[in-house]
Amino acid sequence: MADGELNPAAPPCLHFFSALLAMEPTDSLMALARDCGKGSVSERVQRFIWGHCINKAASTIYPSSIKDRKFHAPYLKNFLKKLISEAERNCSTVLDEIYEQYAYYMTSLKDEIMAGEIKRVNKYISFLFPEECFELSICSKSRKLLIPLQCSLNMLEGDTGCSIWPSCLYLSECILSFPELFSNKSCFEVGSGVGLVGICLAHVKASEVVLSDGDMSTLANMKLNLELNHLSVETDVQKTTEDPKKVKCFHLPWESVAGEQLQSFKPDIILGADVIYDPICLPHLVRLLTTLLNQTKSYSEKVNGNCQGSSLGSTCVYSNFNGANQEDDNDGNGDGLNFSPSLRSIKGPLALMASVIRNVDTFNCFLALIDKASLTITDVTETLKPINLLPYMQSYNRSSIRLFLVSSK
């Protein structure tokens, strides 16, 4: 690395590039750019942004995964506009290359055409493992996991199933933080959306990954994302497969699914991210959960080493990355895990539901239906805290998300 160049493999430069690939809001990008320059977007920072992040997207950080990467032009145009404006306002030099790229967008691209024709884009979600997590079996030497996803540009315009929701990110962090909980387990996700949770389950080597969604366009987009991540798709859900790279996907409208359609599924863990949102759908969701939770247990009846079932109190689930005593490490920083006594007695199958409670009445309706179905629900947000693997994602408010465990009484 030449003298005076920023180190792209270390924060805050790594965080900036990760945020750019994830298409974080441009205000967040600008804040990270300032961090790179210790408060300003200096010429040095601009050279890093142009040379490493824009001009050579196939960089040394992610060489094989993004060699054909092309940034979404309207997004990059908006960022360059803010970058130039701030540099000029602070009387800093602006690189000619940045001026030229912005001028190209101004003269060659029409906003109204781009906005009308491009509905979905590729985002790259970078899970960044801190150094103390190197002992995790899923953590590569680079301490990075890059997941490409095709998703909607606007989650509020009728394409919600193809958007990346906060609870989906949170559940993915849980899977990657506690791989022993999901490894060698049969996992079934309801409302799988873009497929991020399923990709993470495959990464930690779940014995079976079944993804489902009630919207056909969402399902098609999900299959594309699985293929982007080098996973094969199995649409015959009755077929038995031991291929860890194969993920089952099928159409599952909650309101019309019959019990016999679910008889072949005997999951150890059911997962759901941001599925508690529509009061009309909640009775169907609870009926689906009840059916899956009361199926004959599969892996959860078997003994694997010293771990039995999906007990969250099992010693195989503990992940203590800083070497502290597990009984004392309950300071809420996510570096260790100490389960409450009530969780130690739970055996699978179980459901993990991550959700932002946007409407209290809707959530209370869900609780009433859970109780009526003879299921139990426990808030495990404070006892199952994942590592912060997305430190660059300022738009992601982890504190707004609750994690619930649902099981049969």
Side-chain angles (χ1 to χ4, degrees):
M1 183 179 296
D3 291 341
E5 288 187 3
L6 296 173
N7 182 3
C13 295
L14 174 61
H15 290 176
F16 173 87
F17 188 44
S18 299
L20 182 66
L21 291 176
M23 292 182 63
E24 277 287 277
T26 51
D27 286 342
S28 297
L29 272 188
M30 287 303 304
L32 291 168
R34 293 185 202 101
D35 289 343
C36 293
K38 297 181 179 180
S40 68
V41 287
S42 63
E43 187 175 349
R44 185 178 181 219
V45 172
Q46 293 174 49
R47 291 197 181 282
F48 160 72
I49 292 173
W50 173 256
H52 180 79
C53 302
I54 297 176
N55 193 39
K56 295 193 299 183
S59 64
T60 54
I61 296 182
Y62 305 119
S64 61
S65 301
I66 61 170
K67 60 184 178 181
D68 298 319
R69 168 80 169 133
K70 292 183 179 180
F71 290 101
H72 181 52
Y75 172 75
L76 193 55
K77 174 189 171 184
N78 189 27
F79 168 66
L80 291 178
K81 180 180 179 180
K82 291 188 177 183
L83 180 66
I84 292 169
S85 176
E86 175 150 338
E88 290 179 339
R89 187 170 59 251
N90 294 326
C91 300
S92 299
T93 300
V94 178
L95 293 186
D96 290 342
E97 295 91 339
I98 290 179
Y99 269 135
E100 290 168 4
Q101 185 67 39
Y102 181 66
Y104 167 76
Y105 287 147
M106 288 292 291
T107 58
S108 303
L109 303 175
K110 294 182 179 179
D111 288 340
E112 64 272 18
I113 294 177
M114 291 185 295
E117 292 184 355
I118 302 175
K119 297 295 185 182
R120 295 181 186 176
V121 295
N122 286 338
K123 295 184 179 182
Y124 290 72
I125 307 301
S126 306
F127 292 96
L128 307 178
F129 293 85
E131 290 185 9
E132 58 267 27
C133 298
F134 186 71
E135 64 188 65
L136 274 177
S137 60
I138 63 164
C139 184
S140 65
K141 290 183 179 180
S142 67
R143 303 204 318 275
K144 305 177 191 74
L145 173 63
L146 184 72
I147 296 180
L149 296 170
Q150 177 177 276
C151 49
S152 172
L153 273 174
N154 193 334
M155 67 170 59
L156 300 178
E157 291 187 356
D159 209 8
T160 56
C162 297
S163 299
I164 303 173
W165 291 84
S167 296
C168 174
L169 294 169
Y170 192 84
L171 208 50
S172 298
E173 283 187 307
C174 285
I175 293 165
L176 297 174
S177 297
F178 308 112
E180 297 89 350
L181 180 60
F182 304 93
S183 177
N184 297 318
K185 302 290 176 65
S186 173
C187 299
F188 186 113
E189 187 187 12
V190 297
S192 301
V194 294
L196 178 59
V197 168
I199 293 166
C200 292
L201 287 170
H203 184 74
V204 301
K205 296 180 171 56
S207 62
E208 181 181 49
V209 179
V210 181
L211 306 183
S212 66
D213 205 277
D215 181 78
M216 293 300 291
S217 64
T218 298
L219 197 64
N221 188 69
M222 182 201 311
K223 292 176 182 177
L224 175 62
N225 285 331
L226 294 173
E227 292 167 357
L228 283 175
N229 287 274
H230 311 293
L231 297 170
S232 56
V233 177
E234 177 60 69
T235 55
D236 183 359
V237 293
Q238 307 296 331
K239 186 177 180 179
T240 302
T241 177
E242 296 181 357
D243 184 356
K245 291 290 186 179
K246 184 160 287 188
V247 175
K248 294 182 178 180
C249 299
F250 76 112
H251 184 229
L252 183 66
W254 301 345
E255 66 276 6
S256 60
V257 65
E260 54 269 19
Q261 292 177 269
L262 301 172
Q263 286 180 355
S264 61
F265 300 111
K266 299 176 176 59
D268 301 300
I269 302 176
I270 301 113
L271 302 104
D274 267 327
V275 293
I276 309 169
Y277 60 90
D278 187 348
I280 297 176
C281 296
L282 291 183
H284 308 301
L285 172 62
V286 172
R287 179 169 57 88
L288 174 62
L289 292 175
T290 303
T291 302
L292 291 172
L293 287 170
N294 287 308
Q295 300 279 36
T296 303
K297 299 179 182 64
S298 54
Y299 180 89
S300 55
E301 287 186 332
K302 303 174 184 178
V303 176
N304 181 12
N306 293 324
C307 293
Q308 181 167 358
S310 300
S311 170
L312 290 182
S314 167
T315 55
C316 289
V317 176
Y318 284 101
S319 297
N320 190 359
F321 305 113
N322 59 12
N325 184 286
Q326 289 169 341
E327 294 301 323
D328 296 331
D329 186 25
N330 193 24
D331 56 6
N333 61 8
D335 291 331
L337 184 61
N338 185 23
F339 290 109
S340 65
S342 62
L343 296 182
R344 295 180 185 275
S345 62
I346 298 176
K347 307 294 180 180
L350 53 84
L352 278 178
M353 317 289 290
S355 185
V356 176
I357 302 176
R358 298 176 176 87
N359 185 296
V360 174
D361 291 337
T362 298
F363 186 71
N364 286 337
C365 176
F366 177 71
L367 293 180
L369 290 166
I370 286 288
D371 184 63
K372 187 177 179 180
S374 297
L375 301 177
T376 60
I377 183 168
T378 306
D379 189 331
V380 294
T381 310
E382 300 302 321
T383 53
L384 192 60
K385 282 190 173 182
I387 310 162
N388 182 5
L389 302 178
L390 303 165
Y392 60 89
M393 198 171 283
Q394 297 180 6
S395 66
Y396 168 42
N397 183 9
R398 301 166 98 247
S399 64
S400 67
I401 301 164
R402 308 302 299 178
L403 186 66
F404 301 98
L405 184 149
V406 181
S407 62
S408 297
K409 289 183 178 179

